Amino acid sequence: MVEVHVEPGGLEFGPALVPFSESRAQIEALLGQGSVEKARLRLEELARQPEATRDGSQNIWLYSRLGQVYLALDDAENARLSFGRAYAIEPRDREVAAAYSELLESGGERERALQVAQMLLLHHKPGLDAGQVAGIYDRIGGLREALGDHREARAAFEMALVEVPEDKQALTGLLRAVGELGDPGDVVEARLKLIQGLDDDRARSMALVALGDDWIKSFNDPERALDTFEEAVAQWPQNRHAVERIAEVARELGDFRRVSRAYFTLSMIAEQGPEKAEYLIRSANVARTELWESEKALAGYRKALEYDSTRLDAFKSVTSILVDARDWAELEASYVQVIAANSERDDVDPNLLGVLWQKLGDLYRDHLDRNDDAIFAFNQALEYLPDHAGLRSELIALTEEHPEHYETAIAHLRAMGQTPGVQPAQWLDRLGKVYLRQKNIDHAFCVYRALRASGARLDAKALGFVERFDSKLIKPIRGQINPSMMRRYIFTPGLESELNECFRLLKPPLKEYTGESRSTYGLKRRDRVKLGDNMAFSNFYKSVGAALGYTELPELWRKADQVGLVNGALVPEGLIVSEDLLVSAREKHIAFMVAKQLFLFLDPFYLAGILAQTDLEAILYRAVALVRPEVDYAASFQNEEAFKLMRRAFKGDDLARLKRVVEAMLQGRDELALGPWVEAIEDTANRIGFLFCDDLGVAEACLREEPRCISQRSIESRMRSLIDYSVSEQYLSLRPQLGIQVA
């Protein structure tokens, strides 16, 4: 950096190489070409020549041009020294003085900068226009302000405003100065001058808000402040801050009409629906609670709900106003409006819609005496609130005694029965009464029979009704229970078709492996039961078998010490029956046991009826390994002989069939667990037995006497499942098809 000294005889750079005029021309050319660095070098070379070799104008040009070059090169220090030298030579040069003053200020020499600015004004004011003079006063005011002399700063800014009344820099400077001096009246006057000088609506509006705050803080005049805020809104209607201040100050003054109007204005300014709704609700709240204008408030709440249908506070206010007015028709319209608005939302709130439909139903029932509409509304509510027990009970109460709504009552009574914790007595008795009103005797009989079996005490009338149709004789099943009927009306949900088919395919290769010879049981040829003998058991055995689709019944063997009827897993296949069951058992007991065991004897369920669940799972693992060796299911079944039998049996088409079944079975599974399937087999077998005996008491007695049970559940649990089935729509609709209905 070149050191430049402003003392006389300073700024010595060395002898000039060329005449001054030629150097000046070259330098100007370099600057014109943008070669600032080269121009600096030439200027510094030129400046090395003693000042005495140049006249005053040449020196002023040299040092001012050198200062400009230093500024272009961001060398503020040398620029200040260069302009300082030029100013020392000629302090009346306006451009030099102006630049020098700015450089002194930026360098922190505010006092010296102020002096230069004052000299500039002294020497040049007569020759300057008003704007230029105002600019110098603005500069002097700013320097005075920076030096902490706010009074003199104020005087300078006021002089600038004398020259140019709309000078914004002077106006803002004056506002700052009077604010520092602490004269409230002057602050207001300064703000007014500033506002009058602003040509932008928004700027004037914001300045008026500041002035309104001054009326409150400095003069404790909220009324003048309100007027000023409203003038601010008039200047720029979108000035939200001004409207908010109106609401705040008007509330403090108790001017609630202004408050309500301000909130309404804010709702018009707001862009988003939820925000518009918020301000409308505020406006309506004031109108309702402070101005006692319910109609106006009602209109505001309704408009808010159009913008944001989830605002339950607004809706509660609407309902409260209309209930107070007992305007049920308008209340209905409001419910319909808010339900429709919420139903169309992408983020539907099911709980909200459920409550709204419920309240609309209450309105129809309690005030409009429109029960059909109430039923419709409650039905809609339950679509969104399916676990609402109280609501369901209200709906049942509306429908269970009206013929046109019996089916609705039945549907909801059944749904009530599926609710956890609801006891049979809480819904079966009501369901039975609806069936009786329908004159559906068979359905009513089944319901009250189930209620008795569940342990509930029936009144004398209901008990007599059940006993009237509870015959000790069996009503034979009409026709055959085909596979489609089985799947639709009897199978339980856990009876998976893929597992059924898989174990159907596995039975043939394993029946001998799992079987026992007759000698194991001590059975002789004479123990074989001749089905042609005219015995009740044989007749039931054949009729049940025919109904289940058997073309050839399993062989039947009597055994003196056998209990009941079991699959003996014999080779050849056969069932073993006790002497008591064969000779002296009652018909219904025979029917239940025979039907259940013949169902379990069917190929898909045969292995489940004779093997433990762990053995079934092991066999299933082996079946998977046959077609998917890469699937790693740890098997506890270690008998290689059975695996060899399976491998020999499944070749060609048989293996392809097994593979298709296994692939379908594994779809979406992480593990193979047969518990639910085995329990489903047990429940379905019990259903089959019940269908043929048609007696829940007999079914329970047979379950308690069974010598072998494939289920892990208690008898009570299995009976609960059977009782539930005995009143199900599946079972009730099957009875007429089988010809076992009463009446």
Side-chain angles (χ1 to χ4, degrees):
M1 182 178 69
V2 177
E3 290 291 336
V4 181
H5 303 282
V6 298
E7 292 82 1
L11 285 174
E12 297 178 357
F13 291 96
L17 300 177
V18 294
F20 181 84
S21 58
E22 185 177 343
S23 294
R24 178 171 178 170
Q26 292 172 351
I27 291 168
E28 294 291 0
L30 288 171
L31 290 172
Q33 298 165 6
S35 301
V36 179
E37 182 61 28
K38 290 182 179 180
R40 179 186 67 81
L41 294 173
R42 295 298 301 277
L43 283 166
E44 289 177 348
E45 289 175 1
L46 185 60
R48 291 189 182 96
Q49 184 179 8
E51 287 183 4
T53 62
R54 300 182 295 274
D55 61 28
S57 63
Q58 290 174 336
N59 281 321
I60 292 173
W61 175 88
L62 172 62
Y63 293 124
S64 63
R65 185 63 78 205
L66 189 57
Q68 293 168 359
V69 168
Y70 283 139
L71 282 177
L73 295 172
D74 294 326
D75 188 349
E77 179 63 21
N78 275 328
R80 181 178 60 80
L81 293 172
S82 295
F83 277 113
R85 183 59 189 143
Y87 180 77
I89 295 170
E90 180 50 78
R92 290 173 297 181
D93 188 302
R94 186 162 64 89
E95 292 182 1
V96 170
Y100 186 40
S101 179
E102 291 179 8
L103 286 165
L104 286 169
E105 182 183 5
S106 64
E109 299 183 46
R110 294 191 180 92
E111 289 281 2
R112 179 64 175 151
L114 177 60
Q115 293 172 6
V116 173
Q118 289 173 327
M119 292 301 296
L120 182 63
L121 186 63
L122 176 65
H123 292 304
H124 298 286
K125 182 178 180 180
L128 300 176
D129 60 32
Q132 291 171 325
V133 174
I136 296 174
Y137 277 122
D138 286 339
R139 178 159 189 74
I140 291 171
L143 288 166
R144 290 289 190 188
E145 186 178 12
L147 291 168
D149 191 350
H150 299 292
R151 194 169 301 280
E152 290 297 327
R154 173 181 177 177
F157 289 132
E158 288 176 339
M159 291 301 297
L161 290 170
V162 170
E163 299 291 333
V164 180
E166 70 277 8
D167 183 350
K168 294 183 179 58
Q169 185 176 347
L171 285 167
T172 55
L174 177 61
L175 188 58
R176 290 195 304 271
V178 296
E180 290 292 336
L181 292 171
D183 187 337
D186 288 345
V187 171
V188 171
E189 184 181 352
R191 286 200 187 282
L192 287 171
K193 287 181 179 180
L194 175 61
I195 292 166
Q196 292 166 0
L198 296 173
D199 54 9
D200 180 76
D201 293 343
R202 295 189 182 192
R204 282 197 301 275
S205 182
M206 295 306 297
L208 283 166
V209 172
L211 178 59
D213 288 335
D214 284 337
W215 282 119
I216 294 173
K217 295 174 185 177
S218 302
F219 298 98
N220 192 27
D221 192 343
E223 292 287 354
R224 288 284 297 273
L226 275 177
D227 292 340
T228 306
F229 293 141
E230 289 183 343
E231 185 181 349
V233 175
Q235 290 288 332
W236 179 38
Q238 300 300 310
N239 191 339
R240 178 179 301 195
H241 184 55
V243 185
E244 289 172 345
R245 293 295 288 133
I246 291 172
E248 293 168 8
V249 176
R251 183 178 289 278
E252 292 173 1
L253 291 173
D255 188 347
F256 293 107
R257 190 164 302 283
R258 255 177 170 165
V259 175
S260 180
R261 189 167 58 239
Y263 283 136
F264 182 80
T265 302
L266 285 168
S267 75
M268 303 296 290
I269 295 172
E271 296 180 357
Q272 301 299 318
E275 191 179 18
K276 285 178 174 291
E278 171 63 26
Y279 286 124
L280 281 168
I281 291 169
R282 292 187 190 182
S283 177
N285 286 341
V286 174
R288 183 186 181 193
T289 60
E290 304 295 344
L291 301 176
W292 298 88
E293 295 178 348
S294 296
E295 290 188 7
K296 183 177 180 180
L298 183 62
Y301 291 132
R302 281 179 164 168
K303 192 66 177 177
L305 287 168
E306 290 180 13
Y307 288 118
D308 186 354
S309 58
T310 66
R311 289 300 298 262
L312 283 186
D313 53 344
F315 186 67
K316 287 178 180 177
S317 296
V318 168
T319 58
S320 176
I321 292 171
L322 293 175
V323 167
D324 289 344
R326 302 183 67 80
D327 191 341
W328 310 125
E330 281 298 314
L331 185 56
E332 177 195 7
S334 296
Y335 273 113
V336 171
Q337 173 199 8
V338 78
I339 287 171
N342 277 279
S343 299
E344 294 172 0
R345 293 176 64 93
D346 293 332
D347 54 340
V348 172
D349 182 349
N351 290 325
L352 172 59
L353 280 173
V355 170
L356 291 172
W357 276 112
Q358 181 185 7
K359 294 296 184 182
L360 180 58
D362 291 340
L363 174 64
Y364 286 139
R365 180 193 60 193
D366 299 337
H367 298 293
L368 294 174
D369 196 23
R370 288 159 55 183
N371 279 357
D372 286 354
D373 289 332
I375 290 167
F376 175 80
F378 286 145
N379 267 313
Q380 293 297 113
L382 282 167
E383 290 291 323
Y384 296 103
L385 303 171
D387 299 326
H388 196 313
L391 176 58
R392 195 177 299 281
S393 183
E394 290 182 20
L395 179 55
I396 293 169
L398 276 175
T399 56
E400 62 186 342
E401 296 185 7
H402 299 278
E404 66 274 24
H405 297 301
Y406 283 159
E407 291 304 321
T408 299
I410 290 168
H412 286 288
L413 282 164
R414 290 190 174 283
M416 178 187 286
Q418 300 301 313
T419 304
V422 173
Q423 299 302 313
Q426 295 175 261
W427 67 284
L428 283 178
D429 182 58
R430 297 172 75 177
L431 180 62
K433 288 176 180 176
V434 175
Y435 282 138
L436 285 175
R437 294 185 189 108
Q438 282 187 317
K439 295 184 169 45
N440 193 332
I441 303 303
D442 185 61
H443 283 25
F445 164 70
C446 291
V447 168
Y448 282 112
R449 178 177 65 177
L451 189 58
R452 180 182 65 177
S454 70
R457 292 192 60 179
L458 303 183
D459 60 32
K461 185 176 181 180
L463 184 60
F465 173 74
V466 174
E467 290 177 346
R468 173 186 170 190
F469 296 103
D470 194 8
S471 173
K472 301 300 180 183
L473 300 177
I474 287 181
K475 199 172 214 179
I477 282 179
R478 182 178 62 209
Q480 186 182 89
I481 303 176
N482 57 50
S484 174
M485 195 178 290
M486 280 274 196
R487 288 191 295 271
R488 183 174 180 183
Y489 298 107
I490 305 173
F491 279 6
T492 59
L495 211 56
E496 299 180 34
S497 58
E498 294 85 1
L499 284 169
N500 296 347
E501 180 63 12
C502 184
F503 278 95
R504 186 189 71 78
L505 295 174
L506 291 173
K507 182 202 169 184
L510 293 176
K511 64 181 179 180
E512 291 191 13
Y513 169 74
T514 57
E516 301 282 356
S517 66
R518 292 195 305 272
S519 61
T520 303
Y521 293 95
L523 298 175
K524 306 296 183 182
R525 184 178 297 274
R526 66 176 179 275
D527 296 320
R528 183 176 181 182
V529 177
K530 295 179 181 179
L531 296 181
D533 293 346
N534 188 19
M535 294 188 300
F537 184 92
S538 298
N539 292 335
F540 276 115
Y541 192 67
K542 288 185 288 186
S543 64
V544 170
L548 292 178
Y550 275 92
T551 56
E552 184 177 348
L553 285 165
E555 291 184 345
L556 194 61
W557 300 84
R558 65 161 49 87
K559 191 171 185 291
D561 59 352
Q562 179 62 50
V563 177
L565 179 67
V566 297
N567 181 351
L570 298 173
V571 181
E573 299 167 350
L575 296 173
I576 301 176
V577 62
S578 70
E579 192 71 27
D580 291 342
L581 187 62
L582 188 64
V583 175
S584 58
R586 287 174 290 181
E587 290 183 349
K588 288 187 175 183
H589 286 73
I590 295 171
F592 182 90
M593 293 185 184
V594 167
K596 180 172 182 177
Q597 289 303 319
L598 284 178
F599 174 77
L600 291 174
F601 206 89
L602 294 172
D603 285 356
F605 318 116
Y606 182 89
L607 294 175
I610 63 174
L611 296 177
Q613 183 176 315
T614 53
D615 291 333
L616 292 172
E617 289 174 348
I619 289 172
L620 187 60
Y621 296 149
R622 292 297 196 179
V624 172
L626 280 176
V627 297
R628 294 276 298 274
E630 75 281 3
V631 177
D632 183 19
Y633 286 113
S636 59
F637 187 65
Q638 300 298 326
N639 196 314
E640 289 298 320
E641 182 181 349
F643 193 38
K644 290 176 183 177
L645 289 171
M646 293 165 64
R647 279 190 298 188
R648 283 200 297 268
F650 290 105
K651 305 287 186 182
D653 291 342
D654 291 334
L655 182 61
R657 277 193 291 273
L658 180 64
K659 183 174 183 179
R660 285 195 297 272
V661 172
V662 168
E663 292 291 350
M665 182 181 64
L666 294 179
Q667 190 71 30
R669 289 181 185 268
D670 296 324
E671 59 180 355
L672 293 174
L674 293 183
W677 180 70
V678 171
E679 296 295 349
I681 293 173
E682 162 77 8
D683 280 343
T684 305
N686 291 339
R687 291 180 178 187
I688 292 289
F690 170 62
L691 279 173
F692 282 88
C693 79
D694 199 24
D695 193 310
L696 287 169
V698 168
E700 182 175 1
C702 290
L703 291 181
R704 294 189 182 281
E705 296 166 5
E706 277 184 334
R708 182 189 301 162
C709 177
I710 68 174
S711 176
Q712 304 297 313
R713 292 173 298 156
S714 66
I715 291 174
E716 289 73 21
S717 175
R718 285 179 280 155
M719 277 303 299
R720 279 197 298 272
S721 296
L722 189 57
I723 290 170
D724 288 344
Y725 175 68
S726 74
V727 293
S728 68
E729 292 180 286
Q730 285 176 288
Y731 173 72
L732 295 180
S733 59
L734 178 60
R735 284 172 62 83
Q737 298 180 57
L738 299 180
I740 60 174
Q741 78 276 22
V742 300

